[in-house]
Amino acid sequence: MSLGQIFMLIGLGLILLEVITPGLYFPAIGIALLIYGVFLIYLPSLALPTAILSGLITIYIMYRLVYGVGAGIKIGADRFIGREITLTEDLDDQNYGSIIIDNEQWYIKSKSAGKRLKKGDIVKIVGIEGVSLIVEKY
């Protein structure tokens, strides 16, 4: 077995290892070793530069197409920040109440000290405190 074939097997092993341990750590190295092995057999003088270039291209493609996907997705209560809603009930004396957003009930707290918000007021969700969404009159 030649050195090129050994590098090809190690490269394939690393790519297959990605199936077992997902996280995108091994494909760039695996592809670089696989290409290094092929070029080591057929064009040894271009093996190292081609392997480095292929590894860098793989990292760039993974960064643009895989790592960047979903970076701006917000989950939980964070997805409501900045949203404007109309109150369906008056807030109590401590400025607490509840609302339904996207068929989910949420507790809200007003930051407007001294101003009691009433049913029909339009408020903007500006933050989260514990399990309550923080709202301000819009």
Side-chain angles (χ1 to χ4, degrees), residues 38-81:
V38 170
F39 272 81
L40 204 57
I41 293 171
Y42 296 108
L43 291 168
S45 62
L46 296 176
L48 186 60
T50 306
I52 292 171
L53 183 63
S54 66
L56 292 174
I57 289 171
T58 303
I59 290 171
Y60 176 76
I61 290 170
M62 285 178 21
Y63 177 77
R64 298 288 291 172
L65 298 179
V66 179
Y67 294 131
V69 173
I73 295 175
K74 294 181 180 178
I75 59 172
D78 285 335
R79 70 184 187 268
F80 299 128
I81 294 178

Side-chain angles (χ1 to χ4, degrees), residues 71-138:
I73 295 175
K74 294 181 180 178
I75 59 172
D78 285 335
R79 70 184 187 268
F80 299 128
I81 294 178
R83 198 160 169 184
E84 299 163 11
I85 54 169
T86 303
L87 294 180
T88 55
E89 63 182 48
D90 294 344
L91 298 188
D92 64 16
D93 294 333
Q94 288 82 30
N95 282 332
Y96 282 95
S98 66
I99 56 169
I100 295 179
I101 307 175
D102 297 340
N103 296 321
E104 297 176 1
Q105 184 171 1
W106 291 88
Y107 294 105
I108 60 172
K109 177 182 177 185
S110 172
K111 281 289 206 180
S112 306
K115 294 181 184 177
R116 192 162 166 220
L117 299 176
K118 301 198 181 305
K119 179 179 179 178
D121 286 345
I122 298 174
V123 294
K124 185 173 184 176
I125 300 170
V126 294
I128 306 164
E129 188 176 290
V131 295
S132 298
L133 300 174
I134 306 301
V135 297
E136 289 180 345
K137 189 165 183 168
Y138 187 66

